[in-house]
Amino acid sequence: VPREAFSGHLELLLLAALQEPRHGYGVIEHVRRASGGRFDYPDGTVYPALHRLEAEGLLRSRWSEVEGRRRRVYEITSRGKKALAAHRREWERFTSGVAAVVDQA
Amino acid sequence: MTPRDEVLHELSGTLRGARRARQRLLDEIAEDLKDAIDYERARGMAPDAAEALVARRFGKPAVVATLWNREQTMRRRAIRRNLLVLMVAVATAGGLGITQYASGKNSLTATRASRVIRGYGMSLTVPDDWSGRITHGLVRLRGAGVRIEIRESSPTNRLDPFFRRRSVPALHASDFRSAEHHLGFTLAGRHFAVLPFPPRPSQAAIDVANSALRSFTVRSGKHYGQPLAPARFPKRPGWFIGARAGNLLAEGGQTETWAATVPYRDAPSQIPPHRTLARLPRDGVIIWVSLSRDSALRQRPFNSLNIRRRLIESTFEGLPKGVGLYRASVRQASYDIGLWVFFKTVHPRADVVARAQAQLDSLRLPTWPSG
């Protein structure tokens, strides 16, 4: 998948991946696996986006320690859930619009 | 330098923005890279190959730094813009207030709007010109000579009659008589106590405080209970170590960690550890460390984690005769560290103190949830 096609929907992907709490690497792995490897973008680019979503109040995070290992765990906030629902609706409208045009061609 | 170190090194040199935010990002990436490397190694990859693969997948640090720096710049601009809007609003409102005041319609103070504060499933409307804040298990409200706190307590299996009331109590002048006076109530299955602090305010101020209390709402649900990692001593010959984890409840939480030169025989929270002290030889040492967070109080810091021989004392209540004790309380961002170092004598030899210090220096501190 071309990088530019993906970048516009990074927020949607991250919010969707964080419907259960995950740390940064967990989010990256989840998106990579769930997309069947199609979204194999540079891992590092996810962190600035996670921090931005947190600053906007769509995610919250905390340090958690498991077996002596620290991880910054993110989870979606209620505001984030509303944003995810809105993104999802937009995405469905967009894909159905594209499909309608492509199918008629 | 490993590929992981190179990524972190390059990033740390190119990130901009607040120091704390940068450090958090670097810590987070450092831990996640470690995770990714471990994952690849667990799948059978050689250590060097795993490091190289993970660093390659991370991408160019310069690209990550560019994205991060752009976000920081945008955030800074947004803050400046909001500040400007706020200044204009304040200036406008101030002018409006003066006009209203001059025409006898309203007071200057009425121009600052009330606002709703939220957190941990609680919300409260802060009256005009009052300040309010919700933090972990605690609501603070202050204004017009009134200071009130609402503290949350974790419910226990046995119903405490103190929390029998099912609504927020209304305050009267007589309630502001003592800092110890507090009134319990239960909302949405959660237990609270209102603490009105002296001195006694005016009746008008109490009326405003009561209107704020009436606006206090609570949602049921799980807002606390996060596991707390204790501090840890590494395994070393000649030391018997242990630790007990905790949970972060509405009131706060605590963990205990210990290291002794003899087998530890006391319960984790037993201070002084009498049974272990009884078996301690003349050159023996017991180190006990608590990490704690209290929602309403913070320990006043004193001394430090560097043991000072001249501060070893034997006057602490309940301390067996002749036993020396060095105590310290040190603040960290998310908890207070309580240190207790017990020696068999009040005047331990320098090498015994040095041995205790070396052990103490090896203590690894965790990170607790902030808030």
Side-chain angles (χ1 to χ4, degrees):
Chain A
V1 176
R3 180 93 37 94
E4 56 275 21
F6 152 77
S7 63
H9 304 288
L10 180 59
E11 194 167 300
L12 169 63
L13 293 177
L14 295 183
L15 291 174
L18 282 165
Q19 288 182 92
E20 61 182 84
R22 291 190 159 96
H23 64 304
Y25 180 65
V27 172
I28 294 161
E29 270 303 298
H30 175 80
V31 173
R32 189 177 284 139
R33 268 202 309 271
S35 68
R38 288 182 197 90
F39 292 144
D40 197 9
Y41 46 87
D43 297 356
T45 55
V46 163
Y47 294 95
L50 288 172
H51 282 242
R52 174 171 52 80
L53 293 176
E54 188 180 357
E56 288 170 2
L58 305 183
L59 300 178
R60 63 173 156 256
S61 74
R62 61 187 162 78
W63 283 110
S64 112
E65 186 168 313
V66 181
E67 293 167 356
R69 290 290 289 273
R70 285 202 317 157
R71 284 170 174 170
R72 190 83 194 179
V73 175
Y74 291 86
E75 58 187 315
I76 194 166
T77 61
S78 51
R79 213 168 134 192
K81 283 176 188 163
K82 282 180 197 156
L84 173 61
H87 274 303
R88 192 171 272 159
R89 281 194 298 274
E90 267 174 40
W91 173 250
E92 280 161 5
R93 270 202 301 270
F94 173 74
T95 51
S96 61
V98 170
V101 174
V102 170
D103 291 347
Q104 279 183 14
Chain B
M1 199 183 264
T2 65
R4 173 177 168 269
D5 293 339
E6 280 172 18
V7 165
L8 294 171
H9 181 71
E10 194 178 336
L11 260 183
S12 69
T14 45
L15 293 177
R16 289 203 305 263
R19 192 181 61 83
R20 205 169 154 190
R22 278 183 283 141
Q23 193 54 53
R24 195 196 108 182
L25 179 75
L26 286 170
D27 289 348
E28 184 180 353
I29 290 174
E31 296 294 335
D32 281 6
L33 288 177
K34 238 188 265 173
D35 250 5
I37 292 164
D38 286 352
Y39 177 73
E40 296 304 335
R41 288 185 63 183
R43 290 172 60 185
M45 195 172 268
D48 288 352
E51 284 252 0
L53 174 70
V54 167
R56 195 169 60 247
R57 274 207 315 232
F58 183 82
K60 289 180 183 160
V63 173
V64 178
T66 304
L67 288 169
W68 168 265
N69 293 341
R70 195 186 299 155
E71 297 286 351
Q72 299 303 306
T73 307
M74 282 163 66
R75 199 173 300 165
R76 249 195 331 270
R77 279 186 191 153
I79 290 169
R80 274 194 209 134
R81 204 166 41 239
N82 290 343
L83 205 62
L84 191 66
V85 168
L86 186 69
M87 284 162 69
V88 170
V90 167
T92 310
L96 191 65
I98 288 164
T99 312
Q100 287 175 332
Y101 185 72
S103 65
K105 283 182 183 169
N106 212 332
S107 72
L108 277 168
T109 53
T111 57
R112 186 174 154 185
S114 59
R115 64 196 169 90
V116 179
I117 51 172
R118 293 188 177 85
Y120 298 92
M122 299 179 269
S123 82
L124 182 135
T125 303
V126 180
D128 297 357
D129 286 322
W130 286 45
S131 61
R133 196 172 167 216
I134 296 180
T135 52
H136 186 110
L138 181 66
V139 183
R140 292 189 185 93
L141 186 64
R142 190 191 280 259
V146 175
R147 186 181 148 219
I148 294 171
E149 285 183 4
I150 304 173
R151 291 185 193 165
E152 184 166 3
S153 298
S154 301
T156 53
N157 290 335
R158 243 176 108 182
L159 181 68
D160 186 335
F162 176 72
F163 298 107
R164 198 184 302 127
R165 183 196 294 266
R166 299 281 161 182
S167 60
V168 186
L171 299 177
H172 305 281
S174 58
D175 289 320
F176 289 83
R177 60 180 181 264
S178 144
E180 303 297 316
H181 181 61
H182 51 302
L183 303 105
F185 64 97
T186 299
L187 284 183
R190 295 165 65 180
H191 292 173
F192 298 91
V194 182
L195 291 90
F197 288 90
R200 289 187 188 184
S202 68
Q203 187 55 50
I206 295 173
D207 291 344
V208 175
N210 280 330
S211 72
L213 288 176
R214 279 196 298 275
S215 74
F216 183 59
T217 65
V218 174
R219 274 188 290 118
S220 59
K222 194 170 161 62
H223 302 279
Y224 309 101
Q226 301 95 319
L228 297 179
R232 297 241 180 233
F233 284 109
K235 280 184 184 166
R236 284 172 142 190
W239 288 92
F240 297 85
I241 57 169
R244 181 169 74 169
N247 275 300
L248 193 51
L249 302 178
E251 304 89 336
Q254 177 167 311
T255 65
E256 297 92 14
T257 306
W258 56 89
T261 52
V262 293
Y264 202 77
R265 295 168 185 275
D266 289 87
S269 55
Q270 170 62 48
I271 287 295
H274 287 287
R275 295 175 66 191
T276 313
L277 275 171
R279 308 282 180 120
L280 202 64
R282 193 164 173 75
D283 59 353
V285 179
I286 301 169
I287 303 173
W288 188 91
V289 178
S290 70
L291 306 184
S292 63
R293 187 198 290 176
D294 188 304
S295 293
L297 303 167
R298 290 214 72 170
Q299 289 175 29
R300 189 182 289 274
F302 61 90
N303 296 341
S304 73
L305 300 184
N306 291 318
I307 305 168
R308 305 275 294 275
R309 282 176 81 192
R310 66 180 178 80
L311 297 178
I312 296 171
E313 35 115 17
S314 62
T315 53
F316 188 77
E317 193 182 341
L319 204 61
K321 197 175 173 188
V323 166
L325 169 64
Y326 174 82
R327 287 179 65 206
S329 176
V330 177
R331 276 188 181 178
Q332 287 272 358
S334 50
Y335 47 73
D336 295 310
I337 304 170
L339 170 67
W340 301 63
V341 186
F342 298 92
F343 300 93
K344 194 67 175 182
T345 80
V346 187
H347 304 290
R349 294 193 319 259
D351 65 308
V352 175
V353 176
R355 186 185 180 201
Q357 186 66 57
Q359 179 66 5
L360 184 56
D361 290 343
S362 72
L363 186 69
R364 289 194 300 253
L365 294 169
T367 301
W368 281 12
S370 59

